[in-house]
Amino acid sequence: MPEIRLDKYLADAGQGTRSQVKNLIKQGRVKVGDTTAKKPEQKVDTDCETVYVDGNQVHFRTFEYYMLNKPQGFVSARKDKWSETVLDLIDEDKRRDLFPVGRLDKDTEGLLIITNDGKLSNDLLSPKKHVPKIYYAIIYGNVTEETIRQFEEGLDIGDGKLTKPAKLKKLSDDESHDMVSPVEITITEGRYHQIKKMFEAVGMEVMYLRRIAMGRLFLDEKLLCGTYRRMTDEEVELLRACAE
Ligand code: URA
């Protein structure tokens, strides 16, 4: 039976900071079942007890999952000395144990999962699971059949071993795209600056990068850049399925 302190329960359920929820308890506004709670350290069984604040049921979730459409300019970390982080974009009563699943560079946009589910995050990022990540990119340079073959065969990006086969797809055959190539690229690893370094390895440069999918979970096209929403149970299941 998962039991946690009442003040943590309330804070994790988005009812305020630890000191704010302690005040709610002090003011007699919190009930566990039929009984008015008196102590923040009281234990609550998250599976079978119901908690109310001012008569309204508190909805506790052990795990939270958000889909964020990351904008440029935000660091994928919980905290950063110099820049705003992706967690600064989650503005509701957010719990403090949230973190981003993996990293997108500061200038990369797109799909980023924010959660407090460490196991799912580890599974998704584990090199053993080969979870595919799909990106849309605009490249300075002319992507040719030869580039596609090089990405398929693996590239030396300077960290000791070749990259695993990556699928590169040209999104336009327009001749005017000689100098700039829109592409889709699928990788199954998550090495540091991987896509930028792969293009550098073939003498090209990434001008724009956006992640559009992780496993079978695609970025919701209705989610504007910089916004987020809670993931549906089906979406969480899609993620779990690709990390099994
Ligand atoms: N590859 C990169 O180079 N940057 C990212 O943000 C993600 C993948």
Short mmCIF file of all heavy atoms in Angstrom, two decimals, residues 103-105 108 135 193-196 209, ligand 1:
data_model
loop_
_atom_site.label_atom_id
_atom_site.label_comp_id
_atom_site.label_asym_id
_atom_site.label_seq_id
_atom_site.Cartn_x
_atom_site.Cartn_y
_atom_site.Cartn_z
N ARG A 103 17.29 15.11 -23.59
CA ARG A 103 17.61 16.52 -23.88
C ARG A 103 17.40 16.86 -25.34
O ARG A 103 17.78 16.09 -26.22
CB ARG A 103 19.09 16.77 -23.58
CG ARG A 103 19.35 16.89 -22.12
CD ARG A 103 20.83 16.95 -21.83
NE ARG A 103 21.00 17.08 -20.40
CZ ARG A 103 21.16 18.25 -19.77
NH1 ARG A 103 21.26 19.36 -20.46
NH2 ARG A 103 21.27 18.30 -18.47
N LEU A 104 16.80 18.01 -25.55
CA LEU A 104 16.85 18.63 -26.88
C LEU A 104 17.76 19.84 -26.70
O LEU A 104 17.72 20.49 -25.64
CB LEU A 104 15.45 19.09 -27.32
CG LEU A 104 14.44 18.00 -27.68
CD1 LEU A 104 13.11 18.62 -28.08
CD2 LEU A 104 14.96 17.11 -28.80
N ASP A 105 18.56 20.16 -27.70
CA ASP A 105 19.44 21.32 -27.59
C ASP A 105 18.59 22.58 -27.38
O ASP A 105 17.41 22.62 -27.73
CB ASP A 105 20.26 21.49 -28.87
CG ASP A 105 21.21 20.33 -29.08
OD1 ASP A 105 21.52 19.63 -28.10
OD2 ASP A 105 21.65 20.13 -30.23
N THR A 108 16.81 23.58 -30.41
CA THR A 108 15.94 22.58 -31.05
C THR A 108 14.52 22.74 -30.53
O THR A 108 14.32 23.02 -29.34
CB THR A 108 16.45 21.14 -30.74
OG1 THR A 108 17.78 21.02 -31.24
CG2 THR A 108 15.57 20.09 -31.39
N TYR A 135 12.99 13.34 -36.49
CA TYR A 135 13.19 14.79 -36.52
C TYR A 135 12.90 15.33 -37.92
O TYR A 135 13.19 14.66 -38.91
CB TYR A 135 14.64 15.15 -36.18
CG TYR A 135 15.03 14.83 -34.76
CD1 TYR A 135 15.39 13.54 -34.39
CD2 TYR A 135 15.06 15.83 -33.78
CE1 TYR A 135 15.77 13.25 -33.09
CE2 TYR A 135 15.44 15.55 -32.48
CZ TYR A 135 15.78 14.25 -32.14
OH TYR A 135 16.14 13.97 -30.85
N HIS A 193 24.36 16.11 -29.23
CA HIS A 193 24.30 16.85 -30.50
C HIS A 193 24.34 15.90 -31.71
O HIS A 193 24.95 16.22 -32.74
CB HIS A 193 25.48 17.81 -30.64
CG HIS A 193 25.48 18.94 -29.65
ND1 HIS A 193 24.34 19.53 -29.17
CD2 HIS A 193 26.50 19.59 -29.04
CE1 HIS A 193 24.66 20.49 -28.32
NE2 HIS A 193 25.96 20.55 -28.21
N GLN A 194 23.71 14.74 -31.57
CA GLN A 194 23.94 13.68 -32.56
C GLN A 194 23.65 14.10 -34.00
O GLN A 194 24.44 13.88 -34.90
CB GLN A 194 23.11 12.44 -32.20
CG GLN A 194 23.29 11.34 -33.23
CD GLN A 194 22.92 9.98 -32.73
OE1 GLN A 194 22.75 9.78 -31.54
NE2 GLN A 194 22.78 9.03 -33.64
N ILE A 195 22.47 14.72 -34.20
CA ILE A 195 22.09 15.01 -35.59
C ILE A 195 23.00 16.10 -36.17
O ILE A 195 23.48 16.00 -37.30
CB ILE A 195 20.60 15.38 -35.66
CG1 ILE A 195 19.79 14.12 -35.32
CG2 ILE A 195 20.23 15.94 -37.02
CD1 ILE A 195 18.31 14.27 -35.36
N LYS A 196 23.28 17.12 -35.35
CA LYS A 196 24.17 18.18 -35.84
C LYS A 196 25.53 17.60 -36.21
O LYS A 196 26.11 17.94 -37.25
CB LYS A 196 24.33 19.27 -34.78
CG LYS A 196 23.04 20.07 -34.59
CD LYS A 196 23.17 21.05 -33.47
CE LYS A 196 21.83 21.73 -33.23
NZ LYS A 196 21.74 22.36 -31.93
N LEU A 209 16.00 22.43 -36.45
CA LEU A 209 15.75 21.05 -36.02
C LEU A 209 14.52 20.98 -35.12
O LEU A 209 14.39 21.79 -34.18
CB LEU A 209 16.99 20.53 -35.27
CG LEU A 209 17.04 19.05 -34.91
CD1 LEU A 209 16.97 18.17 -36.17
CD2 LEU A 209 18.34 18.74 -34.15
N1 URA B 1 20.40 15.95 -32.23
C1 URA B 1 20.90 17.20 -32.10
O1 URA B 1 21.93 17.54 -32.67
N2 URA B 1 20.25 18.06 -31.31
C2 URA B 1 19.10 17.75 -30.67
O2 URA B 1 18.54 18.60 -29.97
C3 URA B 1 18.58 16.46 -30.82
C4 URA B 1 19.25 15.57 -31.61
#
